């Protein structure tokens, strides 16, 4: 029995051992296969994650580049806006930052270049060659309504750039309808002297008044108010130096003074050392709530004239002496919550008071000869004028405006010769008359770079000769252009 049991056990072991070994081999193979599959799946997932990581890194790099470009664009736009504040001396109220440079160049080695193209069609009832403003000393410069029919308006080419960390510069050429080119402005300007001080030197539009420092393409009407034409010859500019101080306050406070050669009307070129003209101005401004703001200012211009001549009825006359002009200006702006893109309103006005004190040389035509005789006598004239205008943007891109001008001949005195050669009523400047003008305009601006304007005006600058005017105008801006003043 024992022997049989041993034999059975041996036989069982002989059969069971191979079966167990086969089972173990199969389980190991399955485990190895599972490990292989897991490894392959892991490697596939790892490769996919690495690919996603590479794509995310590429997207992050692109986004970073776009963010840098956006920041650079914003900095350039901010520099452009700051340039207009420094150039035109009229930053938005409630800004107490120091005056900014003329403009940061987008290219460190080349100036920014801009061009203004303008043109008009005018239908005038009166002959523009006979235009004059009754009761005032005839002005010089750009006065009168211009030519009838089609006309190329004054175009401008401007180059501006930062010169170095301390200086910026600007050069503006004006191309007139008479095919003449002249230097409108050519100046250097400090970027920031500290303490709110900055200095400009060269040829520039004076900062007196409100409109004077602004180029004509930024005006709300096609022409300058009568007061600007009579008292400043259109616009007053001079070769000289200007110093301004912007107070470090929340409220806008600016003071300035200018010294120049005073070669333009109401002055004349004089062969002398030193300054022939002196100007001073002071301005304040601030916000009124979230939707309104204002700016107000006082200006004084004193200059000298030497044989400032004009012709009247074929006779030549000239004034020599001192000319003093006082200007008070104010502007109010409204836009809902400060957003002027849809609708806004602007009310603007200026008052002028001028005094000429000196001598008047006048020619007469005696009956016994064609040459006439020149007399010289003392002359004193105190005259004034003003304009008030409102412009309303009633929907995006569309505006309408109304302006009223009026001049007061004031008190004028000419010491007539004893023999009565010159009658008191023979001079238009002595005849009591108050010139006035009413203008209404509509304009459409498809973008900030273009404007189309229609203007109607009734000009009563002389008695008995009402000039009904219709003006069609276009203004186009090319290139990089600084932001406009407040």
């Amino acid at each position: 029995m024992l022997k049989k049991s041993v034999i059975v056990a041996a036989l069982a072991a002989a059969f069971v051992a191979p079966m167990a070994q086969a089972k173990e081999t199969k389980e190991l193979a399955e485990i190895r296969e599972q490990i292989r599959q897991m490894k392959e799946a892991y490697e596939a997932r790892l490769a996919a994650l690495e690919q996603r990581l590479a794509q995310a890194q590429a997207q992050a790099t692109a986004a970073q580049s776009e963010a840098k470009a956006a920041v650079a664009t914003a900095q350039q736009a901010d520099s452009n806006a700051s340039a207009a504040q420094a150039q035109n001396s009229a930053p938005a109220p409630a800004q107490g930052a120091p005056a900014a440079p003329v403009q940061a160049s987008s290219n460190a080695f080349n100036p920014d270049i801009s061009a203004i193209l303008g043109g008009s069609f005018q239908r005038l009832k009166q002959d523009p060659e006979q235009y004059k403003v009754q009761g005032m000393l005839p002005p010089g410069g750009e006065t009168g309504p211009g030519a009838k029919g089609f006309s190329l308006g004054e175009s401008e080419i401007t180059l501006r750039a930062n010169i170095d960390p301390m200086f910026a510069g600007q050069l503006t050429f004006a191309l007139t309808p008479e095919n003449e080119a002249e230097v409108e402005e050519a100046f250097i300007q400090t970027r920031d002297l500290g303490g709110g001080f900055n200095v400009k030197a060269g040829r520039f539009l004076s900062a007196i008044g409100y409109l004077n420092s602004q180029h004509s393409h930024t005006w709300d009407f096609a022409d300058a108010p009568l007061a600007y034409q009579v008292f400043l010859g259109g616009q007053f500019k001079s070769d000289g130096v200007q110093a301004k101080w912007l107070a470090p306050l929340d409220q806008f406070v600016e003071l300035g003074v200018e010294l120049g050669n005073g070669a333009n009307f109401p002055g004349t070129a004089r062969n002398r050392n030193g300054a022939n003209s002196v100007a001073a101005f002071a301005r304040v401004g601030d916000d009124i709530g979230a939707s309104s703001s204002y700016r107000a200012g006082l200006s004084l211009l004193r200059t000298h004239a030497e044989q400032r001549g004009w012709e009247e009825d074929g006779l030549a006359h000239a004034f020599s002496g001192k000319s003093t002009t006082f200007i008070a200006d104010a502007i109010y702006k409204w836009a809902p919550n400060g957003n002027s893109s849809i609708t806004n309103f602007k009310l603007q006005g200026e008052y002028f008071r001028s005094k000429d004190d000196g001598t008047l040389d006048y020619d007469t035509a005696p009956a016994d000869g064609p040459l006439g005789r020149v007399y010289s006598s003392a002359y004193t004239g105190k005259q004034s004028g003003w304009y008030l205008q409102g412009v309303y943007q009633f929907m995006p891109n569309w505006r309408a405006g109304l302006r009223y001008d009026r001049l007061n001949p004031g008190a004028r005195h000419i010491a007539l010769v004893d023999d009565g050669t010159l009658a008191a009523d023979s001079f238009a400047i002595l005849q009591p008359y108050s010139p006035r003008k009413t203008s209404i305009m509509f304009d459409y601006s498809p973008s900030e770079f273009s404007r189309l304007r229609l203007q109607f005006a009734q000009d009563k600058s002389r008695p008995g000769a009402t000039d009904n005017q219709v003006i069609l105008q276009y203004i186009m801006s090319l290139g990089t252009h600084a932001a406009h003043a407040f």
Side-chain angles (χ1 to χ4, degrees):
M1 289 297 291
L2 178 61
K3 186 174 180 180
K4 288 183 179 180
S5 300
V6 171
I7 293 174
V8 173
L11 291 173
F15 282 101
V16 170
M19 292 176 62
Q21 184 177 4
K23 182 178 180 181
E24 179 182 359
T25 302
K26 183 178 179 180
E27 291 178 350
L28 289 175
E30 290 176 352
I31 292 173
R32 290 192 181 96
E33 179 64 20
Q34 291 177 0
I35 292 174
R36 184 186 65 79
Q37 291 177 359
M38 291 177 62
K39 184 177 180 180
E40 290 179 353
Y42 175 78
E43 290 177 348
R45 291 184 62 187
L46 182 63
L49 289 174
E50 289 177 344
Q51 183 177 4
R52 288 177 60 188
L53 177 63
Q55 292 176 351
Q57 289 177 338
Q59 292 175 355
T61 301
Q64 186 177 10
S65 300
E66 292 176 357
K68 289 182 178 179
V71 170
T73 302
Q75 290 176 343
Q76 179 67 22
D78 182 68
S79 177
N80 291 350
S82 299
Q85 295 172 357
Q87 176 184 349
N88 297 305
S89 306
Q95 292 185 2
V102 172
Q103 186 169 348
S105 175
S106 58
N107 187 315
F109 302 99
N110 296 320
D112 289 332
I113 301 176
S114 65
I116 301 297
L117 302 179
S120 65
F121 170 81
Q122 297 196 133
R123 184 182 183 279
L124 310 175
K125 182 178 180 180
Q126 303 294 331
D127 183 2
E129 297 294 332
Q130 304 298 321
Y131 180 83
K132 64 180 178 180
V133 182
Q134 191 81 13
M136 321 295 286
L137 272 182
E142 301 174 2
T143 59
K148 291 183 177 181
F150 292 98
S151 175
L152 180 66
E154 183 175 280
S155 299
E156 295 179 357
I157 299 177
T158 298
L159 296 81
R160 62 171 65 83
N162 289 335
I163 299 170
D164 55 30
M166 188 172 181
F167 294 103
Q170 175 176 315
L171 174 62
T172 299
F173 294 100
L175 308 177
T176 68
E178 294 77 20
N179 299 322
E180 297 178 351
E182 60 181 25
V183 178
E184 181 83 358
E185 292 189 291
F187 61 83
I188 60 171
Q189 181 175 341
T190 59
R191 299 182 61 185
D192 186 5
L193 292 180
F197 287 96
N198 272 292
V199 176
K200 179 188 293 186
R203 177 175 298 176
F204 50 85
L205 294 172
S206 174
I208 59 174
Y210 179 73
L211 280 182
N212 192 80
S213 61
Q214 302 179 24
H215 290 249
S216 58
H217 67 269
T218 68
W219 296 349
D220 294 318
F221 289 81
D223 53 358
L226 289 179
Y228 269 91
Q229 298 186 42
V230 169
F231 298 119
L232 298 180
Q235 284 180 289
F236 179 73
K237 61 185 175 183
S238 183
D239 297 353
V241 62
Q242 177 195 86
K244 293 192 300 184
W245 177 65
L246 186 63
L249 303 172
D250 291 336
Q251 185 185 37
F252 172 67
V253 177
E254 183 181 59
L255 304 176
V257 62
E258 299 171 353
L259 301 177
N261 62 356
N264 293 323
F265 187 90
T268 60
R270 301 175 67 197
N271 185 20
R272 64 184 298 271
N273 295 320
N276 189 44
S277 66
V278 178
F281 52 89
R283 288 186 268 266
V284 297
D286 205 351
D287 292 331
I288 306 174
S291 302
S292 304
S293 57
Y294 77 93
R295 202 201 81 171
L298 296 175
S299 305
L300 181 68
L301 171 65
R302 175 168 292 181
T303 185
H304 292 77
E306 186 172 318
Q307 292 297 299
R308 189 178 76 199
W310 79 96
E311 289 189 2
E312 184 176 355
D313 298 327
L315 301 176
H317 314 292
F319 167 78
S320 298
K322 181 173 62 177
S323 179
T324 303
T325 305
F326 167 83
I327 308 173
D329 65 89
I331 179 171
Y332 167 82
K333 290 187 176 183
W334 171 85
N337 296 317
N339 181 11
S340 61
S341 60
I342 298 177
T343 182
N344 63 79
F345 175 72
K346 178 167 59 175
L347 182 64
Q348 170 186 327
E350 296 186 69
Y351 172 81
F352 288 70
R353 187 171 182 84
S354 176
K355 179 181 179 181
D356 290 319
D357 190 3
T359 60
L360 185 66
D361 296 338
Y362 53 89
D363 194 5
T364 63
D368 57 353
L371 297 180
R373 177 180 175 186
V374 176
Y375 293 89
S376 181
S377 66
Y379 171 80
T380 300
K382 297 180 180 179
Q383 301 162 325
S384 62
W386 57 273
Y387 76 90
L388 182 66
Q389 68 181 51
V391 178
Y392 177 58
Q393 179 175 305
F394 52 90
M395 61 184 298
N397 309 107
W398 288 90
R399 305 189 311 163
L402 176 66
R403 185 180 74 192
Y404 182 75
D405 303 20
R406 192 172 185 90
L407 302 176
N408 182 3
R412 293 139 299 146
H413 175 72
I414 297 179
L416 303 179
V417 294
D418 294 336
D419 60 6
T421 304
L422 182 66
D425 60 354
S426 63
F427 260 124
I429 60 175
L430 291 180
Q431 298 174 15
Y433 182 72
S434 296
R436 54 196 180 276
K437 182 178 180 180
T438 303
S439 306
I440 184 172
M441 76 83 186
F442 302 90
D443 64 29
Y444 169 64
S445 301
S447 72
E448 59 181 314
F449 303 105
S450 60
R451 174 164 290 171
L452 304 174
R453 175 178 289 140
L454 172 63
Q455 179 171 314
F456 304 94
Q458 188 178 72
D459 191 339
K460 297 184 177 182
S461 296
R462 48 182 170 160
T466 300
D467 191 10
N468 295 319
Q469 305 169 354
V470 180
I471 303 174
L472 290 170
Q473 183 186 35
Y474 69 83
I475 302 172
M476 304 292 164
S477 176
L478 290 73
T480 304
H481 194 74
H484 296 158
F486 172 80

